[in-house]
């Protein structure tokens, strides 16, 4: 069997790339699971990019237009007039993208795992059967523990975090998410509550399972109302190279993920667009260069993450005083962007009063952001 492009991994990144290339090239996708979805993921995606990337509307379960931020002793609300983020059904998202790709001519090999390269071919395992596929270009879109990344000797300089998430039945404000920044509950990340409907929410955090248990208790969510539990991991940092010979990494396999929130669907899809252009132009090497926007966001996000890890809860309370002020809320409500954290942070730091107050909290780290 021979293809122009063999995509390893049928997650959002791999399926999106397949949908972009199918019909223009001979494309195949191998997916080790027997069905799509099932990964631990809150499925919150910025509206602007969701529309821009032309993701399927039928995967949208809910839209949110605001957020309530809680620290240990304070809270403030950000309210926008229009929806800022969608909450999506991952299975429907992945399956719809795959369906579109197959309709345009892509071949799918489900229940088929990539195990390595041999003599320039991909070695695959389907049930008890081993077979090989040759392609001109191979894409590793096989997630954070990428076998393709290992096969090309890619190296990671990253913080790997375990994430825990539940779906819980309760009474929720349908168009507002909750973000809890309290190191006494979740020492190394924030905890989130994202409504799927008025009566169902996805609640999670990164760190350890005790952090989630503590959060559920403090948020007064009944453990016996949990109807789904999932765990997964993310890598915040760099994995290099993204291209080696005729092999490229995409999505979580390349750690294309926001270090501030661990959201990876949009960054993976933006890079998939650049990768599709590079493949179609026959210049795979241009892929990494053309993802410069995502790279700048990751680099800036890592600085924000470092800043967050260096703050004590007392510092966080001071940051909340600043961000909860009328002036800061006005800036956030008019200029914040769900995916562009450079733009959002710069808009805040451009205000002299806000900048002066934030510098007092952590002079060296805020200066490092400027
Ligand atoms: C708890 C948690 C919450 C999250 N919440 C959000 C969120 O709200 N919004 C957001 O944008 N992101 C979120 N993320 C991150 C998001 O899930 C990832 O960034 C996204 O799934 C990356 O997509 P991907 O296609 O690159 O990889 P994946 O979704 O991991 O897909 C990789 C695919 O490759 C397959 N595969 C793996 N190995 C092989 C192999 N050897 N052969 C063949 N196939 C293989 C896997 O079965 C899988 O289907 C969250 C992550 C976690 C852990």
């Amino acid at each position: 069997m021979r293809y122009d492009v063999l995509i390893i991994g049928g997650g959002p990144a791999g399926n999106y790339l397949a949908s972009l290339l199918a019909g223009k090239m001979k494309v195949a996708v191998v997916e080790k699971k027997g069905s799509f979805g099932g990964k631990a993921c809150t499925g919150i995606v910025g509206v602007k990019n969701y529309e821009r990337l032309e993701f399927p509307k039928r995967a949208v379960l809910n839209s949110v237009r605001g957020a309530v931020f809680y620290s240990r002793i304070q809270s403030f609300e950000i309210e926008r007039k229009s929806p800022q983020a969608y909450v999506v059904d991952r299975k429907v998202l992945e399956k719809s993208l795959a369906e579109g790709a197959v309709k345009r001519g892509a071949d799918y090999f489900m229940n088929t795992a990539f195990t390595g390269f041999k003599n320039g071919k991909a070695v695959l395992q389907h049930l008890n059967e081993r077979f090989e596929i040759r392609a001109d270009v191979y894409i590793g879109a096989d997630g954070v523990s990428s076998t393709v990344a290992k096969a090309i000797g890619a190296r990671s300089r990253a913080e790997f975090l375990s994430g825990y998430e539940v779906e819980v039945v309760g009474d929720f404000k349908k168009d507002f998410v909750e973000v809890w920044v309290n190191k006494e509950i979740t020492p190394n990340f924030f905890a989130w509550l994202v409504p799927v409907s008025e009566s169902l929410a996805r609640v999670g955090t990164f760190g350890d399972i005790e952090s989630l248990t503590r959060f559920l208790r403090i948020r007064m969510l009944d453990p016996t109302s949990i109807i789904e539990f999932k765990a997964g991991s993310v890598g915040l940092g760099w994995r290099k190279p993204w291209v080696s010979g005729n092999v490229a990494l995409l999505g979580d396999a390349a750690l294309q993920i926001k270090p501030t929130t661990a959201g990876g669907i949009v960054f993976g899809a933006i890079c998939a667009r650049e990768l599709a252009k590079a493949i179609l132009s026959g210049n795979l090497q241009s892929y990494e260069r053309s993802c410069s926007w995502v790279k700048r966001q990751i680099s800036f996000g890592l600085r924000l993450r470092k800043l967050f890890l260096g703050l004590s809860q007392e510092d966080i309370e001071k940051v909340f005083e600043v961000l909860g002020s009328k002036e800061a809320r006005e800036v956030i409500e008019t200029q914040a962007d769900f995916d562009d954290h450079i733009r959002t942070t710069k808009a805040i730091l451009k205000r002299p009063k806000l900048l002066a107050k934030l510098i007092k909290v952590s002079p060296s780290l805020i200066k490092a952001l400027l």
Side-chain angles (χ1 to χ4, degrees), residues 4-262:
D4 295 325
V5 184
L6 177 67
I7 300 168
I8 295 144
N15 289 337
Y16 186 62
L17 179 67
S19 75
L20 297 175
L21 291 175
K24 298 174 185 141
M25 298 189 113
K26 200 165 155 37
V27 177
V29 178
V30 292
E31 167 52 49
K32 79 172 173 191
K33 294 194 294 338
S35 59
F36 295 110
K39 191 184 146 74
C41 180
T42 307
I44 187 158
V45 181
V47 166
K48 217 161 72 187
N49 276 313
Y50 201 89
E51 310 284 354
R52 198 178 283 158
L53 293 160
E54 297 178 73
F55 274 164
K57 275 280 167 56
R58 65 177 141 148
V60 175
L61 298 169
N62 189 23
S63 36
V64 291
R65 63 183 181 91
V68 190
F69 291 85
Y70 296 92
S71 66
R72 190 165 62 81
I73 51 172
Q74 301 170 73
S75 70
F76 66 91
E77 196 172 284
I78 299 295
E79 183 175 5
R80 309 284 286 259
K81 287 196 175 68
S82 57
Q84 297 300 304
Y86 289 137
V87 185
V88 303
D89 182 322
R90 275 283 303 252
K91 189 181 175 84
V92 178
L93 174 67
E94 289 170 38
K95 215 170 162 181
S96 306
L97 293 170
E99 191 185 328
V102 171
K103 278 185 187 156
R104 286 197 283 282
D107 287 347
Y108 268 70
F109 296 84
M110 297 300 290
N111 238 323
T112 304
F114 164 85
T115 59
F117 292 112
K118 195 175 155 198
N119 302 327
K121 293 182 198 161
V123 182
L124 306 165
Q125 180 87 34
H126 172 70
L127 306 175
N128 291 329
E129 185 199 348
R130 217 165 233 272
F131 64 106
E132 292 172 358
I133 290 184
R134 182 182 286 284
D136 293 337
V137 176
Y138 297 96
I139 307 301
D142 50 343
V144 63
S145 313
S146 172
T147 311
V148 180
K150 283 184 201 111
I152 63 166
R155 289 175 177 260
S156 312
R157 195 158 40 85
E159 180 189 6
F160 289 91
L161 295 175
S162 300
Y164 302 92
E165 184 179 83
V166 295
E167 274 196 4
V168 60
V169 178
D171 198 3
F172 307 107
K173 201 168 169 185
K174 191 173 176 271
D175 50 357
F176 274 71
V177 299
E178 295 178 18
V179 179
W180 292 64
V181 194
N182 183 344
K183 292 198 170 189
E184 288 169 18
I185 309 174
T186 54
N188 295 322
F189 216 81
F190 58 87
W192 64 85
L193 184 151
V194 172
V196 178
S197 67
E198 276 113 2
S199 59
L200 189 69
R202 294 177 180 160
V203 178
T205 191
F206 285 94
D208 52 30
I209 185 71
E210 286 75 27
S211 298
L212 180 60
T213 312
R214 265 195 304 275
F215 178 58
L216 289 166
R217 197 174 52 244
I218 283 163
R219 180 58 180 74
M220 291 195 286
L221 293 165
D222 181 358
T224 60
S225 299
I226 291 171
I227 54 169
E228 192 165 274
F229 173 85
K230 283 180 181 168
S233 59
V234 290
L236 310 178
W238 300 105
R239 181 173 281 156
K240 293 284 177 72
W242 287 2
V243 180
S244 170
N246 64 343
V247 183
L249 300 178
L250 176 69
D252 275 18
L255 306 189
Q256 291 160 352
I257 190 159
K258 278 183 252 174
T260 37
T261 63

